[in-house]
Amino acid sequence: MKKIIQLTFTCLLVVLVKASDTTYAEKLGFPKGAKIVILHVDDAGMSHESNVGAITALTKGVATSTSVMMPCSWVPEFVNFLKTHPQIDAGLHLTLTSEWKNYRWGPLSGKPTTPGLVDKEGCLWNSVADVVQHAAATEVATEINAQLQRALNMGFTPTHVDTHMGTLLATPDFAKVYVQLGIQNHIPVMLPGGHATLIAKQMHAPTALIRQMQYMGKLLWNAGLPVLDDLYNESYDWVNPPNTLQNDSLLQTFRTNQYINALKNLEPGVTMVIMHCTANSPLFQFISDSGPTRRGDLLAMIDPRLKAFINQNGIILTTWRELMQRRGQLAK
């Protein structure tokens, strides 16, 4: 299933905000014109393979951030890793869908509490469209708060929140509770509220939609939280050439080249680049057919060529923790 953020704020009040020439990166004290990048690994906690992939990309590669799917079965393993590696930048991958056929999960808030979030099997819906059709924003708020509470109960304080399959950006009401969660708990929220150049091209977004995103970005900034200038979310849709599927060397070369080209095309500002890193396993094929894509992302993150390109081109890697620290210093 494609992991494309469904930016469909069609009913949201249009607030025309004049875009500033100053990026949020500059406001946070980064050099003018610099590319500031969060290389972010989605789906930690989903499986053992996802955990190993995220850990490897973060500790042996150039990835700088990850986020955890709290309703999934392998969360304890990853949270235990975080307890012994407190420097790792890890947020919540707020999860309202369960998209695979043979491996699924349900809401932490409980099915009787949030019946609109579950299908006839008692699991979270397969698709974003189903969540939009069946779930009320109050149920969404209850569930994402339950996911935050589980993290805190486990001793895991997230550095940010983001949204699995973009569900929390699928309607105005969902977006509202998403932003409220961050503001009320003083946790950064993944939302491209700056120039949003790349995500606008990817989603063919109208100008009014980008202005709405910028408005929400201003709300987050005024609440003392950092804001992304842009979001890059295309890597899941890159099609691996057939000759790479059984050859890690060719797969690594292809995916690394794709990431180098993506970084070349970034605009100045803070951009979060989303990926999915998974270790090889005979079992992962029974979860998803996306194994080669995820394996390729991991191989790219540990490729010395990618690290060299980043260093040679003055790209500054950052984390949500650093962004929050910089924002806090401005508030003093």
Side-chain angles (χ1 to χ4, degrees), residues 8 26-27 32 46 70 82 100 126 148 163 171 190 193 239:
T8 56
E26 291 175 56
K27 292 180 180 180
K32 181 177 177 61
M46 187 185 79
M70 296 308 294
L82 292 176
W100 310 119
N126 288 98
L148 173 59
T163 169
T171 76
M190 184 207 75
V239 178

Side-chain angles (χ1 to χ4, degrees), residues 305-319:
R305 287 199 304 123
L306 182 58
K307 183 175 182 179
F309 175 83
I310 290 169
N311 292 336
Q312 292 166 5
N313 288 272
I315 295 170
I316 300 172
L317 298 183
T318 190
T319 63

Side-chain angles (χ1 to χ4, degrees), residues 142-164:
T142 297
E143 175 59 21
I144 63 177
N145 275 281
Q147 292 181 23
L148 173 59
Q149 192 58 54
R150 185 192 185 196
L152 298 175
N153 290 346
M154 295 178 76
F156 164 31
T157 301
T159 57
H160 72 284
V161 293
D162 56 49
T163 169
H164 182 54

Side-chain angles (χ1 to χ4, degrees), residues 275-287:
M275 70 201 64
H276 306 81
C277 297
T278 298
N280 271 345
S281 161
L283 295 178
F284 192 79
Q285 63 181 313
F286 299 109
I287 294 177

Side-chain angles (χ1 to χ4, degrees), residues 38-45 50-51 53-55 57-58 63-69 78 81-82 88-93 156 158-162 272 275 277 319-320:
I38 299 173
L39 291 173
H40 179 85
V41 181
D42 273 359
D43 294 358
S50 301
N51 289 347
I55 291 167
L58 290 160
T64 61
S65 181
T66 188
S67 56
V68 185
M69 298 174 69
F78 198 79
F81 163 76
L82 292 176
I88 294 294
D89 192 75
L92 297 186
H93 199 44
F156 164 31
T159 57
H160 72 284
V161 293
D162 56 49
M272 179 164 155
M275 70 201 64
C277 297
T319 63
W320 282 102

Side-chain angles (χ1 to χ4, degrees), residues 96-172:
L96 297 170
T97 52
S98 179
E99 65 271 30
W100 310 119
K101 181 179 179 180
N102 296 320
Y103 170 52
R104 308 196 66 207
W105 46 84
L108 295 183
S109 52
K111 301 175 187 69
T113 303
T114 52
L117 289 179
V118 298
D119 62 14
K120 63 182 180 181
E121 296 180 4
C123 299
L124 293 170
W125 293 101
N126 288 98
S127 71
V128 175
D130 281 325
V131 182
V132 171
Q133 180 180 349
H134 297 281
T138 52
E139 294 176 304
V140 169
T142 297
E143 175 59 21
I144 63 177
N145 275 281
Q147 292 181 23
L148 173 59
Q149 192 58 54
R150 185 192 185 196
L152 298 175
N153 290 346
M154 295 178 76
F156 164 31
T157 301
T159 57
H160 72 284
V161 293
D162 56 49
T163 169
H164 182 54
M165 295 179 67
T167 314
L168 286 165
L169 295 176
T171 76

Side-chain angles (χ1 to χ4, degrees), residues 171-319:
T171 76
D173 289 340
F174 288 6
K176 180 178 179 181
V177 299
Y178 176 48
V179 169
Q180 285 178 337
L181 179 76
I183 291 175
Q184 290 171 357
N185 294 279
H186 207 55
I187 300 173
V189 176
M190 184 207 75
L191 186 143
H195 56 73
T197 304
L198 293 175
I199 195 66
K201 290 180 180 178
Q202 180 188 348
M203 301 309 301
H204 307 288
T207 300
L209 172 58
I210 299 306
R211 295 292 184 259
Q212 293 158 11
M213 298 286 285
Q214 291 167 347
Y215 172 68
M216 286 186 288
K218 292 175 78 71
L219 292 179
L220 291 167
W221 182 263
N222 292 338
L225 299 173
V227 179
L228 296 175
D229 288 295
D230 207 352
L231 184 66
Y232 188 89
N233 191 37
E234 296 187 19
S235 64
Y236 203 77
D237 295 322
W238 295 337
V239 178
N240 298 319
N243 67 337
T244 68
L245 299 183
Q246 302 299 324
N247 187 314
D248 273 359
S249 178
L250 293 177
L251 181 60
Q252 183 176 49
T253 297
F254 171 73
R255 300 294 289 194
T256 299
N257 287 343
Q258 291 290 100
Y259 278 105
I260 287 173
N261 288 333
L263 293 174
K264 286 179 180 177
N265 291 324
L266 297 185
E267 295 291 332
V270 182
T271 303
M272 179 164 155
V273 177
I274 295 175
M275 70 201 64
H276 306 81
C277 297
T278 298
N280 271 345
S281 161
L283 295 178
F284 192 79
Q285 63 181 313
F286 299 109
I287 294 177
S288 165
D289 62 1
S290 64
T293 289
R294 294 166 181 263
R295 172 67 176 164
D297 282 353
L298 173 57
L299 292 171
M301 289 305 105
I302 62 175
D303 192 330
R305 287 199 304 123
L306 182 58
K307 183 175 182 179
F309 175 83
I310 290 169
N311 292 336
Q312 292 166 5
N313 288 272
I315 295 170
I316 300 172
L317 298 183
T318 190
T319 63

